[in-house]
Amino acid sequence: MGIFTQLLVLGFVVVKFSPYFCENLPKNTYKWPTVAISILVRNKAHTLPYFFSSLNNLDYPKDRIFIWIYSDYNQDNSIDLIKYWVGQYGSEYNAVYVTTNDTNGPLHVDEKKSTNWSPHHFRHVIYLREEALRFARRMWADYIFMIDADVFLTHPSTLKVLVNKDKLVVAPMLASEGLYSNFWCAMTDQFYYQRADDYKPILNREKTGCFDVPMVHTAVLISLRHQKSDLLSYNPLIIKDYSGPTDDIIVFALNAKNNGITLSICNDYQYGFVTVPLEDGDDVKHDHELLLNVKLEAISRGMPLPLDKQLEKFVEYSEPWKLGCSEIYVINLERRKERRNYMEMSLKELGIDFTMFNAIDGRNLEFCNLKEYSITLLPGYEDPYHKRPMKAGEVGCFLSHYYIWEQIVEKHFKTTLVLEDDIHFVPYFRQQFLLLLQELEQLDWDFVYIGRKILLDGEEKYATPHTTIPLYSYWTLGYLISEQGAQKLLDASPLDKLLPVDEFLPIMFDQHTNDTWKSYFPNRNLKAFSAAPLLVHPTHYTGQDGYISDTEDSTVVDYKNFDYPRNEL
């Protein structure tokens, strides 16, 4: 009937297993429990290279894992990719069972699009979930891991950690864009998602551990060794007087609740990522953009999605271009190779053609006389927060931007995007950036923040639907600058009265709060705007794990080595 079933078996042994199986015990003589992994695939050819790479990277003994895959109603080459992966890696597992159907067409009978969650679609998924449970029980598996094909486990020990928790039902908390994750903290009387006070603290890992919740989904480990596991089901027909929706995850949650079974979400590790699900009726190609959002999120957290060499050929990238700009510069210190690598990954994903600009390193400036750069410092400058003079890293940062402004003027670049290397791109960055460029055509502009720290709480006025007129701001994470704008900054001769670049810029568009500093720059005529909302943010904020500041982590400049400007006002 057009159904292809493949069984790859290396031999299967059922082992009665002690509950004391922690690998960390020095004299542990027990094997790890057997785990059945259930995977449903529909139109996921774009996620499968990362999904299978993550699966391969798990450090759980593969001879204790057997995999059950079912794929049908596809419009893409998901089945070909599954078969390829099984051919390359299936022999490493205890057994791999694959069932595919590529003759049933792309749609269920009551669907207009493959993303419609029609009644027939729901019933089919429920049937497959039940089949997976029956399969694992027949195989006497100790556990079944129900995982969707758009889950990417970046923590290799995820399965070991979850098994060691010895819970009946447990899920690893998965990050995504925005506030989406794979658990609920509350459910309405109509059995749908409800926001709860506990949700954000768990999602943001402000408190860590395992938490009892009414709903877990997408990546769920079920212990089949517990007697109560026999009561678990995705089938609404087994729930007496059930009046809820025919929805597999809701049925599972309510059935567990009715049988006194606790569902747990664990966030004690950063386990991995999941894409935001498509809205009902979305174009299936939109899922590619949702995957891009997750890949960028993972990179910004320093946990890029794994991608096996054998699966790279199935990944497509956009053709690099400059997003309508004359040039795109990325400022990077040569010794910050990790930042450079992550930035290059992000820009490759976004399809952005760029020039890497080697930043002036403040460490090197500490050992030479800055007069060689024709630099004099602004008299009496003191950091507003730390109450200390300028640091060598701040000098290097300013020079890096200054030399880019020189190149812009020299090469007559009409529109230039300048990015620092410690930024996170917002979801749908390309679309929002192109929309920003369209709106800027209505404005006479010199400079546009796409990332900044807003220092004043006053409400900024909108110039267009997605731009504001900025007040006093910090940071130079990312900005657009015109040739005219760069010329204005150079004409101000900032090297003659140097202060940090993120103090200099608001002076030049006349929104700085320090009148004394402003008095050294009489022509404060930079026409500045800001994207609203902002398009880039820092990868790390002060105090967070992984936060590094090459400006703050440098020495204070010795003022004795410099002359003050002769044209003091």
Side-chain angles (χ1 to χ4, degrees):
M1 299 295 293
I3 294 180
F4 166 77
T5 302
Q6 177 176 352
L7 168 62
L8 180 64
V9 184
L10 299 181
F12 178 75
V13 178
V14 178
V15 179
K16 186 176 181 180
F17 206 84
S18 164
Y20 304 103
F21 45 74
C22 180
E23 188 179 65
N24 297 326
L25 294 177
K27 296 182 180 180
N28 178 33
T29 58
Y30 295 102
K31 295 180 181 180
W32 283 91
T34 55
V35 179
I37 298 181
S38 162
I39 307 163
L40 304 184
V41 179
R42 185 184 184 189
N43 293 325
K44 292 296 179 181
H46 54 295
T47 70
L48 286 176
Y50 302 98
F51 171 82
F52 281 133
S53 297
S54 299
L55 192 64
N56 288 344
N57 281 359
L58 292 177
D59 60 10
Y60 203 89
K62 288 182 172 53
D63 63 346
R64 308 298 293 167
I65 294 174
F66 48 95
I67 297 175
W68 185 89
I69 303 175
Y70 198 104
S71 182
D72 60 358
Y73 292 99
N74 291 292
Q75 293 173 285
D76 62 10
N77 64 332
S78 291
I79 291 175
D80 292 338
L81 207 151
I82 291 168
K83 291 179 180 179
Y84 178 84
W85 178 79
V86 170
Q88 294 294 316
Y89 296 102
S91 61
E92 298 179 12
Y93 294 86
N94 187 295
V96 177
Y97 300 81
V98 179
T99 301
T100 63
N101 186 347
D102 54 7
T103 64
N104 56 8
L107 299 175
H108 292 282
V109 293
D110 55 353
E111 286 181 325
K112 294 182 179 179
K113 289 185 176 182
S114 61
T115 54
N116 290 138
W117 278 94
S118 65
H120 196 283
H121 186 173
F122 267 120
R123 288 195 294 269
H124 185 61
V125 170
I126 287 170
Y127 166 78
L128 294 178
R129 300 276 192 215
E130 289 290 287
E131 279 295 294
L133 275 175
R134 283 193 287 269
F135 166 79
R137 288 164 177 158
R138 285 198 308 269
M139 300 299 288
W140 295 100
D142 294 303
Y143 289 84
I144 181 169
F145 193 28
M146 309 285 268
I147 184 169
D148 292 347
D150 46 12
V151 170
F152 316 106
L153 300 174
T154 53
H155 184 25
S157 295
T158 294
L159 202 47
K160 285 183 176 179
V161 171
L162 295 179
V163 164
N164 271 331
K165 293 187 183 299
D166 197 26
K167 292 181 177 291
L168 204 165
V169 181
V170 63
M173 192 191 78
L174 303 172
S176 190
E177 62 178 272
L179 294 175
Y180 181 77
S181 189
N182 61 318
F183 71 100
W184 299 359
C185 278
M187 188 184 297
T188 69
D189 293 338
Q190 290 74 39
F191 315 114
Y192 286 105
Y193 175 82
Q194 184 176 35
R195 186 61 53 85
D197 292 340
D198 289 341
Y199 185 79
K200 281 187 178 180
I202 294 173
L203 179 71
N204 297 330
R205 302 184 70 238
E206 294 168 10
K207 55 181 183 179
T208 57
C210 293
F211 306 92
D212 295 346
V213 293
M215 167 74 77
V216 290
H217 57 87
T218 305
V220 179
L221 183 72
I222 302 170
S223 173
L224 301 179
R225 299 176 304 124
H226 285 71
Q227 289 186 356
K228 274 194 169 183
S229 69
D230 291 339
L231 302 174
L232 289 170
S233 174
Y234 293 87
N235 186 355
L237 299 179
I238 72 166
I239 301 179
K240 185 178 180 181
D241 300 325
Y242 180 71
S243 59
T246 304
D247 183 314
D248 55 313
I249 65 173
I250 293 176
V251 172
F252 182 84
L254 294 178
N255 180 56
K257 179 182 178 181
N258 290 349
N259 288 291
I261 295 173
T262 300
L263 309 181
S264 298
I265 189 75
C266 297
N267 69 351
D268 45 347
Y269 294 92
Q270 293 187 338
Y271 289 103
F273 300 85
V274 62
T275 59
V276 173
L278 288 167
E279 295 290 337
D280 190 31
D282 274 354
D283 192 310
V284 69
K285 290 186 177 180
H286 183 55
D287 206 41
H288 294 245
E289 199 70 26
L290 295 172
L291 172 62
L292 172 60
N293 293 342
V294 163
K295 288 197 283 185
L296 293 174
E297 180 69 31
I299 292 169
S300 75
R301 297 190 186 203
M303 295 178 287
L305 302 189
L307 182 57
D308 188 276
K309 290 287 185 183
Q310 295 292 330
L311 300 175
E312 283 182 352
K313 62 184 179 182
F314 294 101
V315 176
E316 297 180 359
Y317 298 98
S318 299
E319 194 69 26
W321 71 305
K322 296 187 184 296
L323 298 176
C325 297
S326 307
E327 184 56 275
I328 297 174
Y329 288 105
V330 175
I331 300 175
N332 167 258
L333 284 170
E334 286 189 90
R335 57 185 165 86
R336 294 297 180 199
K337 292 182 171 56
E338 186 177 65
R339 283 185 177 180
R340 182 186 188 115
N341 290 339
Y342 287 150
M343 196 64 177
E344 287 176 341
M345 287 182 191
S346 293
L347 295 170
K348 181 178 180 180
E349 296 290 352
L350 288 165
I352 293 178
D353 182 15
F354 66 97
T355 296
M356 192 67 71
F357 185 89
N358 291 328
I360 306 301
D361 197 333
R363 285 187 181 181
N364 299 332
L365 292 175
E366 293 168 15
F367 303 103
C368 67
N369 190 333
L370 292 186
K371 292 178 184 177
E372 296 176 7
Y373 289 83
S374 300
I375 293 174
T376 52
L377 304 181
L378 187 75
Y381 170 78
E382 186 178 71
D383 182 274
Y385 296 96
H386 304 290
K387 305 303 179 184
R388 46 90 180 146
M390 198 166 175
K391 288 197 169 187
E394 291 172 317
V395 175
C397 179
F398 196 110
L399 290 176
S400 301
H401 288 273
Y402 184 88
Y403 293 152
I404 287 176
W405 302 336
E406 285 189 326
Q407 287 193 21
I408 291 169
V409 172
E410 178 185 340
K411 297 179 180 180
H412 300 293
F413 289 151
K414 179 182 177 182
T415 302
T416 302
L417 176 62
V418 181
L419 303 170
E420 295 185 344
D421 65 356
D422 54 348
I423 59 172
H424 167 46
F425 297 92
V426 299
Y428 309 105
F429 170 81
R430 292 175 300 191
Q431 294 90 328
Q432 294 192 60
F433 183 81
L434 293 176
L435 178 60
L436 174 66
L437 286 183
Q438 287 181 3
E439 293 188 12
L440 290 179
E441 292 177 1
Q442 308 169 31
L443 302 173
D444 181 15
W445 65 275
D446 297 323
F447 179 93
V448 183
Y449 287 108
I450 68 167
R452 62 183 171 126
K453 180 179 181 179
I454 301 171
L455 295 178
L456 296 180
D457 294 331
E459 185 176 348
E460 295 180 348
K461 295 180 180 179
Y462 275 81
T464 70
H466 298 96
T467 65
T468 60
I469 301 172
L471 300 175
Y472 184 28
S473 304
Y474 265 3
W475 298 346
T476 49
L477 301 172
Y479 58 85
L480 281 162
I481 188 168
S482 67
E483 179 184 358
Q484 175 180 286
Q487 186 66 65
K488 287 181 179 181
L489 297 178
L490 296 176
D491 288 345
S493 301
L495 301 190
D496 291 345
K497 50 262 186 182
L498 195 69
L499 75 170
V501 66
D502 52 1
E503 302 281 13
F504 172 62
L505 290 171
I507 287 175
M508 290 301 295
F509 56 81
D510 205 24
Q511 290 295 332
H512 205 289
T513 58
N514 190 311
D515 291 334
T516 301
W517 296 353
K518 285 177 12 179
S519 67
Y520 286 91
F521 302 92
N523 296 321
R524 299 184 297 273
N525 58 351
L526 190 72
K527 297 172 184 175
F529 298 88
S530 174
L534 297 170
L535 305 186
V536 298
H537 300 285
T539 55
H540 299 85
Y541 292 88
T542 305
Q544 287 184 331
D545 290 342
Y547 174 77
I548 297 173
S549 173
D550 286 299
T551 54
E552 288 300 323
D553 298 338
S554 62
T555 59
V556 172
V557 175
D558 186 355
Y559 272 61
K560 296 177 183 178
N561 292 332
F562 305 99
D563 293 327
Y564 290 133
R566 296 177 182 173
N567 57 340
E568 293 181 20
L569 299 179

